[in-house]
Amino acid sequence: MQSSDPNTVLDRAQLRDITMDDEALMREILSALIDDTSRQIRLLDEAIREQNPQKCMRLAHYSKGACANVGANRAAALLKQIERKASVREFQECGESLGRLAREVDLLRAEVLTGA
């Protein structure tokens, strides 16, 4: 995996690399990532409200890897923050990062619509 700019919504070069520049596959992978991350956001919200650090860290870690693999850099960085903050039981900060993550997923959705 390449070194990625954590300020990029979507590293298109990385996505092209892992899909061998297959446009249909790129859209399919991004759509699956968006669907999965949206589900994980709901589960993370529940874990944060329950103040369950283990569940929160597990969910954030899983999603972080998925996002990083396809080049969804800012989403991966936010998930890393959630994972780290949950480990020290800073659930208010987890909730704030989760709100930013939801907006980031909307930006990824827009990337799909504009032709990732």
Side-chain angles (χ1 to χ4, degrees):
M1 184 168 54
Q2 313 168 342
S3 174
S4 298
D5 178 358
N7 297 312
T8 304
V9 174
L10 180 63
D11 183 341
R12 289 179 182 274
Q14 182 174 341
L15 183 60
R16 280 192 298 276
D17 187 48
I18 66 167
T19 61
M20 298 188 301
D21 212 16
D22 181 325
E23 292 287 330
L25 184 56
M26 283 186 240
R27 282 190 298 280
E28 183 179 333
I29 286 174
L30 279 177
S31 292
L33 178 75
I34 290 164
D35 290 346
D36 187 54
T37 304
S38 296
R39 279 190 298 275
Q40 296 301 320
I41 286 172
R42 289 189 293 277
L43 295 171
L44 275 164
D45 183 54
E46 181 180 295
I48 291 167
R49 283 187 281 113
E50 292 171 354
Q51 296 192 357
N52 184 329
Q54 290 79 22
K55 183 177 178 183
C56 194
M57 290 182 332
R58 179 178 43 82
L59 291 166
H61 184 80
Y62 165 81
S63 292
K64 175 184 71 177
C67 288
N69 284 336
V70 300
N73 300 329
R74 290 195 321 212
L78 286 165
L79 286 155
K80 183 177 181 177
Q81 286 177 5
I82 293 169
E83 186 179 10
R84 188 173 50 245
K85 295 297 183 178
S87 73
V88 293
R89 303 183 66 84
E90 293 179 356
F91 294 106
Q92 181 175 340
E93 289 86 353
C94 289
E96 292 167 4
S97 293
L98 190 64
R100 290 193 300 274
L101 178 61
R103 290 187 293 279
E104 202 59 36
V105 169
D106 288 340
L107 293 174
L108 283 169
R109 195 171 281 116
E111 291 282 334
V112 172
L113 294 174
T114 61

